[in-house]
Amino acid sequence: MNIGWIGTGIMGAAIAEHLQAAGHALHLCTRTRAKAEQLLAGGAAWCPDPAEVARATEVVFTIVGYPAEVEAVYFGAHGIFSAEKSTATLLVDLTSSPPALARRISAAATARGLAALDAPVTGGDVGAREGTLSIMVGGNADAFERALPLLRLMGRNIERVGGPGAGQQAKVVNQILIAGTMVGLCEALLVAARAGLDQTQLIRLLGAGAAGSWALQRLGPRLARGDQAPGFMVDHFLKDLEIALHEAEALGLKLPGVELARTLYEKARALGHGRSGTQALILALEALNPQR
Amino acid sequence: MNIGWIGTGIMGAAIAEHLQAAGHALHLCTRTRAKAEQLLAGGAAWCPDPAEVARATEVVFTIVGYPAEVEAVYFGAHGIFSAEKSTATLLVDLTSSPPALARRISAAATARGLAALDAPVTGGDVGAREGTLSIMVGGNADAFERALPLLRLMGRNIERVGGPGAGQQAKVVNQILIAGTMVGLCEALLVAARAGLDQTQLIRLLGAGAAGSWALQRLGPRLARGDQAPGFMVDHFLKDLEIALHEAEALGLKLPGVELARTLYEKARALGHGRSGTQALILALEALNPQR
């Protein structure tokens, strides 16, 4: 199938390769062409802009960074919706992006006789490479069924969670879960360190019980050895926390835990750790609590 | 072996039964005799006070509620340390209690030629009944080796984590992990509910990924059906959070996440949910965010 691909960052490039490996013909555009070299070498066609991608393909996937980029890709002067004689009839946004924007894209698609899905992913760069992402999909059921064979090349747990925007709302729920867990994890390991306990022992011992979590198991060891390398970056998580707080506000909800996480992650970014992993939250706590 | 047992609440009674089932002769005292009936029917001897328990046994286990009770059991007028002609030479406190108090008990024991261990547990009433608790032990290595065969009748993951008080510090670390996770869990499921998403679907879908935790898996379903029944009670968790904040202060640490959890759990208690499960945190968030 001729498939459009917009966005070849760490996640995007890794996911697109699964489609290419399955024999699909990719037509791609991305901000930094160098990041698409491997896909181009594998036979993908280069397009100058999203509109051109939409004119060359049946299905278009997008996975970019911030909401403003999503907006530009869909609604910009050379965006997907600007395309005359578009051949693409199904648009799937894999970016984590505001639910309201997803609903706006869906409405614009419907107005043009197209279908759109919001389909944010979780599982990080490892999940993208290994094809084990979880994908939360919002949109109508027919469009979901059409996208499913392609989504199955990318991830393992793929479910439609509701209508337009619901996939993004599910991702918001996911990031709120992670925000609370990260605050607890970093506070806990800071106490362990200052108390002179063996963090590695505690991660193993406590991880087997009611305190256990994916974050403790995967990021705990990085914290124990002072490794700030990203699985998932502070800058991107901060974007997601902003989306979560906006969505909460739209629902009439005040979320003090997410607000606290945002404050701490902003501090971590101000300390120069925007491109560190989310475990760098501990550096904000350390700054708040200088060693005596 | 003649074993002393002080405290037969839900946890204490369930754990003591494993010792009795293994053929040990229990000598017990507890505040509410009715709660010991099953153990007494099983052959345990009743003692009027902790001092009497210490005069009748080789090893004494204590598992009571609040720090003031631990203090009374060890240092009170008829406490363990008041016993003339004590035969008990090893004292093991299973209560979750302040690290500083554990160190004070250990020092008092040493001054009398006895050994003491702090050995708080995790795993709740289910773990207590099934003998699958995790036990974090502080104290000297010889005393730990002596206690180990008995602790193995109670739990599955049993490790010495350091000297006197270290077991309690490890428990503090455990409760801090849980505090953050619970704030995230309740905020996330509140958003899911207000957004009209299917909480049960999200618990399954998101639980498989980076947002996964024991709490999401075990308490998520209770939250989804509005079930506030305790695995672990708000009142007890609030006690643990107070201990955690005191210990953090002693270490020179300010922990905004634990402070937030305390504020929310105090609110849940004020709403009449002190004896509900820790998932009742969501009621504090709902009170903060009345439905429009």
Side-chain angles (χ1 to χ4, degrees), chain B residues 27-46:
Chain B
H27 299 253
L28 65 82
C29 89
T30 196
R31 204 173 41 188
T32 310
R33 184 170 169 143
K35 292 189 179 171
E37 285 307 337
Q38 193 167 337
L39 291 163
L40 294 169
W46 176 259

Side-chain angles (χ1 to χ4, degrees), chain B residues 98-124:
Chain B
L101 179 53
R103 286 190 288 267
R104 200 145 68 78
I105 292 169
S106 175
T110 303
R112 286 161 177 78
L114 316 175
L117 297 170
D118 48 296
V121 305
T122 64

Side-chain angles (χ1 to χ4, degrees), chain A residues 159-160 169 174 176 180 187-188 194-195 201 204 210-214 250-258 260 289 292, chain B residues 159-160 169 174 176 180 187-188 194-195 201 204 210-214 250-258 260 289 292:
Chain A
E159 297 193 27
R160 178 174 172 272
Q169 288 180 314
N174 191 73
I176 296 173
E187 288 191 348
R194 293 283 172 93
Q201 180 187 25
R204 185 186 65 239
S213 67
W214 185 98
L251 294 166
L253 290 171
K254 193 174 153 57
L255 303 178
V258 179
L260 171 62
N289 292 292
R292 289 177 303 188
Chain B
E159 297 192 27
R160 178 175 171 271
Q169 288 179 314
N174 191 73
I176 296 172
E187 288 191 347
R194 294 282 172 95
Q201 179 186 27
R204 184 187 66 238
S213 66
W214 185 98
L251 294 166
L253 290 173
K254 190 172 155 56
L255 302 178
V258 179
L260 171 61
N289 291 293
R292 288 178 302 189

Side-chain angles (χ1 to χ4, degrees), chain A residues 122 134-136 157-161 166 169-170 172-174 176-178 180-181 183-185 187-192 194-195 197-198 201-202 204-206 208-216 247-258 260 264 285 288-290 292, chain B residues 122 134-136 157-161 166 169-170 172-174 176-178 180-181 183-185 187-192 194-195 197-198 201-202 204-206 208-216 247-258 260 264 285 288-290 292:
Chain A
T122 65
S134 292
I135 311 180
M136 296 142 271
N157 300 299
I158 304 158
E159 297 193 27
R160 178 174 172 272
V161 295
Q169 288 180 314
V172 162
V173 171
N174 191 73
I176 296 173
L177 286 165
I178 292 174
T181 305
V183 171
L185 172 59
E187 288 191 348
L189 290 189
L190 182 59
V191 166
R194 293 283 172 93
L197 299 171
D198 179 338
Q201 180 187 25
L202 290 190
R204 185 186 65 239
L205 180 59
L206 308 184
S213 67
W214 185 98
L216 177 62
E247 182 62 12
E249 199 185 343
L251 294 166
L253 290 171
K254 193 174 153 57
L255 303 178
V258 179
L260 171 62
L264 292 171
L285 290 168
L288 189 69
N289 292 292
R292 289 177 303 188
Chain B
T122 64
S134 291
I135 312 181
M136 298 143 269
N157 300 299
I158 304 157
E159 297 192 27
R160 178 175 171 271
V161 295
Q169 288 179 314
V172 162
V173 171
N174 191 73
I176 296 172
L177 286 166
I178 292 175
T181 304
V183 171
L185 172 59
E187 288 191 347
L189 289 190
L190 183 59
V191 167
R194 294 282 172 95
L197 299 171
D198 179 339
Q201 179 186 27
L202 289 190
R204 184 187 66 238
L205 180 59
L206 308 184
S213 66
W214 185 98
L216 177 61
E247 182 63 12
E249 198 185 344
L251 294 166
L253 290 173
K254 190 172 155 56
L255 302 178
V258 179
L260 171 61
L264 292 171
L285 290 168
L288 189 68
N289 291 293
R292 288 178 302 189

Side-chain angles (χ1 to χ4, degrees), chain B residues 206-291:
Chain B
L206 308 184
S213 66
W214 185 98
L216 177 61
Q217 197 181 336
R218 302 295 179 93
L219 301 180
R222 290 190 197 189
L223 283 160
R225 59 175 189 263
D227 175 0
Q228 303 301 339
F232 189 65
M233 284 198 295
V234 166
D235 279 345
H236 292 162
F237 196 52
L238 264 169
K239 176 201 73 167
D240 291 353
L241 295 180
E242 291 296 342
I243 292 171
L245 287 168
H246 272 103
E247 182 63 12
E249 198 185 344
L251 294 166
L253 290 173
K254 190 172 155 56
L255 302 178
V258 179
E259 285 171 10
L260 171 61
R262 176 177 60 178
T263 301
L264 292 171
Y265 276 112
E266 280 172 347
K267 176 76 178 165
R269 182 170 61 186
L271 290 167
H273 284 275
R275 300 182 69 79
S276 295
T278 49
Q279 70 274 22
L281 175 64
I282 201 167
L283 302 175
L285 290 168
E286 283 176 354
L288 189 68
N289 291 293
Q291 205 134 14

